[in-house]
């Protein structure tokens, strides 16, 4: 029975582990993976030419630098090693004994799934679904051994710690929650750590302070849960929304007042916004030309090659929006918007006039058909933004 002792270590192949501690270790693994692969994610996004490429990992991976490929594989192996060690202990707990065959079978499944992204999409989706179902089973299946452990209120999820994280930690002398100030800069890692705070909150708070009784401890945490839940879900959103609405209404009021005073002329405030937008464009573009049928923006190819897909899309949208402002300034009676200017906007290399970005919807005739299918619409949406790698940097 010593081989089935409780073992909640981050890495370990012997013993058993309950659902809660298993989940905590998986969250830590996901958090490490998220932070360690930030450079990899950045590189993958930079290699995207259309949004559809996000579903073609093999293509994106092949375009990565060799060192990043090695780094990604090492991180994958490490996380897989940690994951498998926890899976084996979880299976030991579920079975109430060491079942070598089951441990090997499930481990092989997750190993294959970790590299399934390199397989064709149909196989990748099949392995993902099977692994997802197996993951839910491991997470929610009650252990034959740990399921018989007595109830422990310090293992109950603490919603106050989840909502309050580091602020809650200061009240309860749990200073490790201050990591949230850094991890919160990465939304995924921040969410993982917030869940860990919720899972470990009662345990940390109970050990870090002396309580007159268990009831006093529970009452204190219940009050903190209400306070931090209201702060997080009600008060802060209201404050943020109030600030945004105040700025929006103030802008609308100024524009309306100036337009009513001088309806025949473009609003001076709007002109300033147009000039500001054009000047902001100069941070990215060397120069630009707004022609009758085309908005030409010229950018350094080296800069363009370093941007991620999302950054390229944001820059392209900004160029289209600036073009609409410029056209509206020259022809205030006509209606121009980012939507009207997207198809006319092109981004070129300032070195050799090579086309680097455009907005072009494929199968436009099919989209106008009444018998249009969802796949065609989706493909057209995902490939509308087309970004090309410069041949000269």
């Amino acid at each position: 029975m010593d081989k089935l002792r409780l073992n909640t270590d981050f890495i370990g192949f012997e013993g058993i582990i309950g659902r809660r501690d298993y989940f905590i270790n998986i969250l830590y693994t996901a958090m490490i993976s998220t932070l360690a692969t930030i450079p990899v994610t950045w590189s993958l996004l930079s290699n995207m030419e259309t949004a559809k490429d996000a579903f073609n990992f093999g293509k994106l991976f092949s375009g990565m630098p060799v060192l990043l490929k090695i780094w990604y594989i090492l991180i994958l192996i490490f996380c897989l090693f940690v994951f498998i060690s926890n899976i084996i202990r979880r299976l030991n707990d579920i079975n109430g004994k060491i079942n070598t065959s089951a441990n090997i079978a499930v481990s092989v499944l997750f190993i294959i799934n970790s590299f399934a992204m390199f397989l064709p999409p149909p196989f990748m989706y099949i392995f993902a679904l099977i692994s997802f179902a197996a993951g839910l089973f491991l997470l929610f299946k009650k252990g034959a051994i740990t399921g018989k452990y007595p109830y422990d209120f310090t293992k109950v999820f603490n919603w106050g710690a989840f909502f309050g994280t580091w602020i809650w930690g200061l009240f309860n002398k749990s200073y490790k929650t201050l990591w949230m100030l850094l991890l919160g800069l990465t939304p995924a890692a921040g969410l993982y750590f917030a869940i860990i705070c919720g899972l470990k909150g009662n345990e940390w708070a109970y050990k870090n302070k002396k309580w007159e009784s268990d009831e006093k401890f529970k009452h204190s945490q219940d009050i903190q849960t209400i306070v931090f839940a209201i702060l997080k879900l009600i008060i802060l959103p209201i404050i943020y929304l109030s600030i945004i609405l105040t700025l929006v209404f103030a802008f609308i009021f100024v524009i309306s007042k100036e337009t009513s005073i001088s309806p025949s002329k473009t609003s001076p405030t709007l002109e300033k916004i147009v000039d500001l937008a054009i000047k902001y464009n100069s941070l990215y573009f060397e120069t630009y030309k707004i022609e009758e049928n085309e908005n030409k923006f010229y950018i350094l190819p080296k800069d363009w090659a370093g941007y991620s897909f999302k950054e390229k899309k944001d820059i392209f949208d900004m160029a289209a929006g600036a073009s609409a402002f410029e056209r509206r300034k020259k022809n205030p009676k006509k209606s121009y918007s980012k939507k009207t200017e997207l198809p006319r906007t092109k981004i070129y290399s300032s070195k050799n006039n090579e086309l680097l970005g455009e907005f072009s919807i494929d199968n436009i005739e099919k989209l106008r058909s009444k018998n249009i299918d969802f796949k065609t619409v989706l493909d057209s949406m995902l490939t509308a933004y087309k970004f090309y790698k410069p041949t000269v940097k």
Side-chain angles (χ1 to χ4, degrees):
M1 288 298 292
D2 188 52
K3 291 184 178 180
L4 294 178
R5 63 180 177 81
L6 184 65
N7 180 7
T8 61
D9 292 343
F10 184 56
I11 301 176
F13 290 87
E14 295 184 352
I16 61 172
I17 190 169
R19 292 176 291 182
R20 171 181 171 272
D21 294 306
Y22 166 78
F23 188 40
I24 289 172
N25 286 348
I26 297 305
L27 287 172
Y28 275 124
T29 307
M31 194 166 63
I32 293 171
S33 173
T34 299
L35 295 173
T37 57
I38 286 176
V40 177
T41 303
W42 190 271
S43 178
L44 291 175
L45 292 173
S46 298
N47 288 329
M48 288 175 61
E49 294 181 354
T50 68
K52 195 174 182 180
D53 287 342
F55 302 94
N56 191 344
F57 184 82
K59 176 185 175 182
L60 298 178
F61 186 79
S62 64
M64 282 172 49
V66 176
L67 289 178
L68 274 183
K69 289 180 181 177
I70 296 173
W71 175 250
Y72 176 77
I73 292 173
L74 289 175
I75 294 299
L76 183 63
I77 292 172
F78 169 75
C79 291
L80 192 57
F81 181 78
V82 176
F83 196 34
I84 296 301
S85 74
N86 280 272
I87 287 174
I88 289 175
R89 283 178 286 162
R90 187 82 266 272
L91 287 170
N92 290 343
D93 181 36
I94 292 172
N95 293 322
K97 59 181 181 180
I98 299 176
N99 188 329
T100 305
S101 299
N103 291 349
I104 293 175
V106 177
S107 298
V108 168
L109 170 65
F110 281 97
I111 290 172
I112 295 174
N113 181 65
S114 298
F115 294 93
M117 62 189 70
F118 297 103
L119 298 175
F123 294 100
M124 181 178 68
Y125 298 144
I126 290 171
F127 278 108
L129 287 173
I130 295 174
S131 300
F132 180 71
L136 290 178
F137 173 78
L138 290 169
L139 183 60
F140 292 105
K141 178 65 176 177
K142 193 174 183 179
I145 299 176
T146 59
K148 296 178 181 179
Y149 284 3
Y151 172 78
D152 185 352
F153 67 88
T154 64
K155 309 294 183 185
V156 175
F157 194 88
N158 189 316
W159 287 101
F162 172 75
F163 289 122
T165 57
W166 66 274
I167 303 177
W168 172 93
L170 294 177
F171 280 99
N172 293 275
K173 298 183 179 180
S174 300
Y175 303 118
K176 61 188 70 178
T177 57
L178 291 172
W179 279 107
M180 188 64 180
L181 294 173
L182 292 176
L183 296 173
L185 299 175
T186 306
L191 176 61
Y192 296 145
F193 190 66
I195 297 174
I196 291 171
C197 289
L199 290 166
K200 299 282 287 183
N202 277 347
E203 187 179 335
W204 292 338
Y206 193 74
K207 290 179 180 179
N208 292 338
K209 292 176 68 176
K210 291 184 178 180
W211 301 92
E212 295 181 13
S213 65
D214 293 348
E215 286 68 28
K216 285 284 182 81
F217 169 79
K218 294 176 184 177
H219 181 66
S220 172
Q221 295 305 313
D222 288 342
I223 293 176
Q224 291 182 52
T225 294
I226 295 171
V227 171
F228 286 114
I230 292 174
L231 179 66
K232 186 85 171 185
L233 301 177
I234 300 176
I235 296 178
L236 288 179
I238 289 176
I239 292 174
Y240 296 148
L241 183 62
S242 299
I243 293 173
I244 293 171
L245 290 176
T246 300
L247 293 174
V248 170
F249 283 121
F251 174 76
I252 293 173
F253 175 76
V254 171
I255 296 295
S256 301
K257 186 176 180 181
E258 290 179 349
T259 303
S260 62
I261 294 173
S262 182
S264 61
K265 297 181 180 180
T266 305
S267 165
T269 302
L270 191 58
E271 285 188 359
K272 291 177 183 178
I273 293 172
V274 173
D275 293 336
L276 188 62
I278 298 301
K279 288 178 182 178
Y280 187 66
N281 265 294
S282 64
L283 296 175
Y284 294 95
F285 301 107
E286 297 295 290
T287 186
Y288 69 94
K289 296 177 182 177
I290 307 298
E291 299 179 350
E292 184 178 353
N293 297 315
E294 188 175 351
N295 309 315
K296 297 180 178 180
F297 288 81
Y298 297 88
I299 194 170
L300 285 171
K302 185 178 180 181
D303 292 344
W304 182 257
Y307 293 133
S308 68
F309 179 84
K310 184 180 183 303
E311 288 176 316
K312 290 174 182 175
K313 180 181 178 299
D314 291 341
I315 292 171
F316 193 93
D317 288 343
M318 182 180 66
S323 300
F325 276 134
E326 184 80 358
R327 290 183 184 277
R328 202 179 304 147
K329 185 178 180 181
K330 294 179 181 178
N331 302 288
K333 294 182 179 180
K334 290 188 177 181
S335 177
Y336 297 102
S337 66
K338 186 187 81 172
K339 184 178 179 181
T340 65
E341 298 311 303
L342 279 174
R344 285 195 284 224
T345 302
K346 301 285 179 65
I347 295 179
Y348 295 96
S349 167
S350 60
K351 296 288 187 181
N352 59 356
N353 292 328
E354 180 183 18
L355 180 63
L356 298 179
E358 62 179 331
F359 183 90
S360 175
I361 299 177
D362 299 327
N363 303 318
I364 189 68
E365 295 301 325
K366 285 187 177 180
L367 290 175
R368 291 170 179 168
S369 173
K370 293 182 179 179
N371 299 321
I372 184 69
D373 59 280
F374 177 74
K375 186 177 182 302
T376 302
V377 175
L378 183 61
D379 286 345
S380 299
M381 290 172 59
L382 293 176
T383 57
Y385 286 92
K386 294 179 174 64
F387 303 133
Y388 312 114
K389 295 180 181 178
T391 56
V392 177
K393 295 184 180 180

